[in-house]
């Protein structure tokens, strides 16, 4: 059975209304599947259990919590409060961010061992979209939480994407330096082949380049065939987490070799492979919390997408044990880029987002005159009244604002989340100042 479970948040003053079939206005129909709150204290997670029975999280393997934009402070606060509540009361001990896997290993070291400097830990991230005060506050909270926990009960802070070969190479070097120091020189020589300049010189013969690089990856794997004696379970976890960077080199090759029959070059399939690896290794008890853009966690392919998305892979793999929560706003301003072609991306631009028209679910949600609104799509989908309503057919879009702003953004189908949280007003995230 693949009944889709839903969840979401809201606040303290909860207003529930039952739908009267004799009053078939869009607003009434929508209200019957919504819980409304006037609470604006998004960082206070006490509203979570007032809205959702805590049993809904039982036996889940992945709880995915999304964002319609990487540039809204409120979205960060809502995601953070949900995560904290699940950590404190539902045993979540693995956090996975839509970010480069090898890049986030440094953050994981910081929150689990204290190694690193607070003011540089977030600024060192490759993704500018995560260089926010809100993300740094979350990282610091995880570190503070871990200070009072036993080693086996600490939160792991991980990534699932592959972006840059350089940071992956650095992670491979760190792995061999920690666990096979005697092979340091040999590893350095092997990794020279992955230098960007070396790869580009040989791209006139891509098949030969890929064959060469694959042979180098095999050499690395051979050197790491036997795990050293590691009596501590967390040392063994650290070994596996860093060793995974060798596999990421192979994933990077997929973006070079256009002819591979097992093509895995699209970002979402790679994220799915890495996330499933994290989940299936059972590094910690309890569900894994996934923080990503709404587009990645939806379990249906958008009309404009030419690739299968992360949420679709996860739903196919875990069924009911995958739990997807979209988050969106009614109006406001966000922090974003305006072009991909800027050689020095400027994420300090604050862009107002126009209020949505009747093609957006946000438009109908705004008519409820609430603060935070939880819409239970998992329940609405089962109702023929809703499926045959103009609301279902017309108001089926939500914002999909990526790294680069383009008007109201590509439209994302609201139908394919378990539930969606709407908040009334977005304000820009706070970019970490350069030089900190």
């Amino acid at each position: 059975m693949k009944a889709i479970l839903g969840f979401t948040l809201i606040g303290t003053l909860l207003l529930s209304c039952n739908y009267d079939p004799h009053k078939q206005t869009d607003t009434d129909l929508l209200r019957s599947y919504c819980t409304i709150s006037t609470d604006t204290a998004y960082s206070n997670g006490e509203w979570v259990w007032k809205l959702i029975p805590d049993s809904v999280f039982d036996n889940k393997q992945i709880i995915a919590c999304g964002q319609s934009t990487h540039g809204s402070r409120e979205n960060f606060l809502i995601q953070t409060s949900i995560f904290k509540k699940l950590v404190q009361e539902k045993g979540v001990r693995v956090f996975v961010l839509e970010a480069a896997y090898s890049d986030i290993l440094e953050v994981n070291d910081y929150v689990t061992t204290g190694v690193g400097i607070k003011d540089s830990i977030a600024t060192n991230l490759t993704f500018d979209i995560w260089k926010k005060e809100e993300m740094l506050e979350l990282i610091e909270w995880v570190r503070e939480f871990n200070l009072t926990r036993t080693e086996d009960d600490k939160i792991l802070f991980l990534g699932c994407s592959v972006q840059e070969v350089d940071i992956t190479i650095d992670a491979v070097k760190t792995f061999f330096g920690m666990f096979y120091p005697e092979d340091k020189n040999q590893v350095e020589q092997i990794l020279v082949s992955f230098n960007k300049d070396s790869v580009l010189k040989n791209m006139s013969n891509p098949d030969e380049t890929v064959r060469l690089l694959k042979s180098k990856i095999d050499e690395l794997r051979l050197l790491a065939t036997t795990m050293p004696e590691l009596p501590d379970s967390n040392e063994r976890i650290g070994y596996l987490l860093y060793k995974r960077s060798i596999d990421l080199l192979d994933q990077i090759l997929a973006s070079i070799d256009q002819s591979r029959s097992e093509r895995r070059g699209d970002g979402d399939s790679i994220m799915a492979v890495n996330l499933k690896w994290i989940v299936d290794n059972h590094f910690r008890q309890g569900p894994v919390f996934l923080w990503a853009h709404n587009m990645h966690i939806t379990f249906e392919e958008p009309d404009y997408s030419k690739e299968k998305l992360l949420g679709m892979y996860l739903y196919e793999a875990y069924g009911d044990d995958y739990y997807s929560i979209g988050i969106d706003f009614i109006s406001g301003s966000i922090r974003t880029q305006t072009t991909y072609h800027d050689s020095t991306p400027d994420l300090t631009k604050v862009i107002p987002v126009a209020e949505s028209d009747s093609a957006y679910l946000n438009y109908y949600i705004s008519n409820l005159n609430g603060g935070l609104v939880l819409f239970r799509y998992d329940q609405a989908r089962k109702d023929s009244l809703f499926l045959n309503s103009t609301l279902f057919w017309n108001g089926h879009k939500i914002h999909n604002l990526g790294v680069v702003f383009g008007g109201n953004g590509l439209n994302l189908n609201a139908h394919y989340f378990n539930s969606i949280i709407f908040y009334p007003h977005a304000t820009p995230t706070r970019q970490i100042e350069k030089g900190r």
Side-chain angles (χ1 to χ4, degrees):
M1 180 181 70
K2 290 198 172 182
I4 301 167
L5 300 174
F7 125 71
T8 284
L9 67 208
I10 299 311
T12 52
L13 300 176
L14 301 176
L15 307 173
S16 297
C17 299
N18 296 322
Y19 175 59
D20 180 352
H22 300 294
K23 297 180 180 179
Q24 298 185 12
T25 68
D26 288 333
T27 300
D28 288 333
L29 183 58
L30 181 62
R31 191 184 298 275
S32 67
Y33 294 110
C34 290
T35 307
I36 305 172
S37 169
T38 57
D39 191 1
T40 58
Y42 302 145
S43 59
N44 179 356
E46 292 305 313
W47 38 257
V48 174
W49 297 156
K50 295 178 181 179
L51 177 71
I52 308 295
D54 62 355
S55 60
V56 78
F57 301 108
D58 293 344
N59 303 315
K60 298 294 172 288
Q61 293 196 64
I62 302 175
I63 299 170
C65 196
Q67 49 188 196
S68 59
T69 169
H70 298 305
S72 161
R73 174 169 171 75
E74 288 72 22
N75 209 133
F76 272 78
L77 294 178
I78 291 169
Q79 287 173 288
T80 298
S81 62
I82 294 170
F83 170 65
K84 288 180 180 179
K85 198 68 172 178
L86 293 173
V87 165
Q88 294 164 338
E89 301 189 29
K90 300 304 293 185
V92 166
R93 291 296 183 272
V94 179
F95 176 97
V96 179
L97 182 66
E98 176 208 335
Y101 176 94
S102 299
D103 207 13
I104 301 299
L105 288 175
E106 181 182 347
V107 180
N108 186 60
D109 289 342
Y110 177 72
V111 300
T112 56
T113 69
V115 174
I117 302 172
K118 173 184 175 180
D119 286 346
S120 64
I121 200 67
T123 56
N124 287 344
L125 294 176
T126 302
F127 272 14
D128 284 339
I129 58 174
W130 303 131
K131 295 179 181 180
K132 314 283 179 102
E133 293 288 352
E134 291 82 3
M135 179 56 67
L136 185 57
E137 289 168 2
L138 171 61
I139 292 171
E140 281 301 303
W141 183 88
V142 172
R143 182 177 179 274
E144 289 295 322
F145 178 88
N146 283 344
L147 288 175
T148 61
R149 317 306 292 190
T150 62
E151 290 299 320
D152 292 339
D153 196 38
K154 290 183 177 181
I155 298 168
L156 301 179
F157 200 107
L158 306 174
C160 63
S161 182
V162 177
Q163 298 296 327
E164 295 289 341
V165 66
D166 290 346
I167 58 174
T168 304
I169 288 174
D170 288 343
V172 172
K173 290 179 180 179
T174 299
F175 167 70
F176 280 98
M178 289 192 298
F179 300 105
Y180 303 96
E182 67 278 7
D183 296 322
K184 177 181 177 181
N185 291 337
Q186 186 175 354
V187 169
E188 291 278 358
Q189 285 300 114
I190 292 172
L191 290 174
V192 168
S193 300
F194 287 88
N195 179 279
K196 284 184 179 179
D197 292 335
S198 299
V199 171
L200 291 173
K201 285 179 182 177
N202 293 301
M203 282 313 292
S204 58
N205 189 347
D207 288 342
E208 180 61 24
T209 299
V210 170
R211 186 200 64 76
L212 170 65
L213 295 180
K214 279 187 65 65
S215 70
K216 298 300 183 181
I217 292 172
D218 290 340
E219 289 181 41
L220 293 171
R221 288 190 174 120
L222 187 61
L223 290 174
T225 299
T226 304
M227 181 187 290
E229 290 291 330
L230 299 172
D232 183 83
S233 63
N234 285 286
E235 283 187 287
R236 292 194 292 273
I237 289 174
Y239 174 91
L240 293 173
L241 290 176
Y242 270 94
K243 184 180 180 182
R244 180 68 178 171
S245 294
I246 299 175
D247 295 329
L248 266 61
L249 288 176
D250 191 41
Q251 293 176 356
I252 290 171
L253 286 187
S255 64
I256 299 174
D257 179 15
Q258 300 294 327
S259 62
R260 287 179 76 178
S261 59
E262 69 271 27
R263 174 84 175 138
R264 302 194 311 273
D266 62 276
D268 281 69
S269 67
I270 287 176
M271 287 196 289
V273 168
N274 291 328
L275 188 55
K276 286 190 282 187
W277 179 83
I278 292 169
V279 173
D280 296 345
N281 267 282
H282 303 289
F283 293 123
R284 293 286 191 264
Q285 298 295 318
V288 169
F289 185 91
L290 171 62
W291 178 308
H293 194 281
N294 281 344
M295 186 185 74
H296 294 299
I297 68 171
T298 180
F299 43 82
E300 181 62 25
E301 182 177 338
D303 295 338
Y304 55 82
S305 177
K306 297 180 180 179
E307 62 185 48
K308 199 171 177 179
L309 297 174
L310 173 60
M312 299 170 66
Y313 287 107
L314 298 178
Y315 185 64
E316 288 176 359
Y318 300 104
D320 293 348
D321 293 340
Y322 174 62
Y323 202 92
S324 174
I325 313 147
I327 302 178
D328 198 9
F329 63 98
I330 305 301
S331 63
S333 299
I334 61 174
R335 191 175 302 280
T336 185
Q337 291 175 221
T338 56
T339 176
Y340 279 116
H341 305 294
D342 188 347
S343 60
T344 55
D346 181 5
L347 292 180
T348 64
K349 295 182 176 69
V350 174
I351 306 293
V353 180
E355 291 192 12
S356 303
D357 59 30
S358 59
Y360 285 76
L361 182 58
N362 315 53
Y363 171 84
Y364 297 91
I365 292 290
S366 66
N367 292 332
L368 299 180
N369 298 318
L372 290 170
V373 177
L374 163 66
F375 180 57
R376 291 290 303 270
Y377 239 113
D378 58 328
Q379 294 180 347
R381 263 192 300 269
K382 300 174 184 178
D383 186 350
S384 60
L385 284 173
F386 176 73
L387 296 178
N388 291 305
S389 68
T390 56
L391 174 63
F392 177 82
W393 291 105
N394 294 339
H396 62 278
K397 300 174 183 177
I398 59 175
H399 291 117
N400 184 22
L401 305 167
V403 175
V404 174
F405 180 80
N408 272 6
L410 293 170
N411 303 318
L412 192 61
N413 195 328
H415 296 168
Y416 298 104
F417 295 91
N418 302 119
S419 57
I420 306 175
I421 299 163
F422 293 91
Y423 57 99
H425 189 73
T427 59
T429 49
R430 301 171 298 169
Q431 197 74 7
I432 293 177
E433 296 178 8
K434 295 179 181 180
R436 272 191 50 175

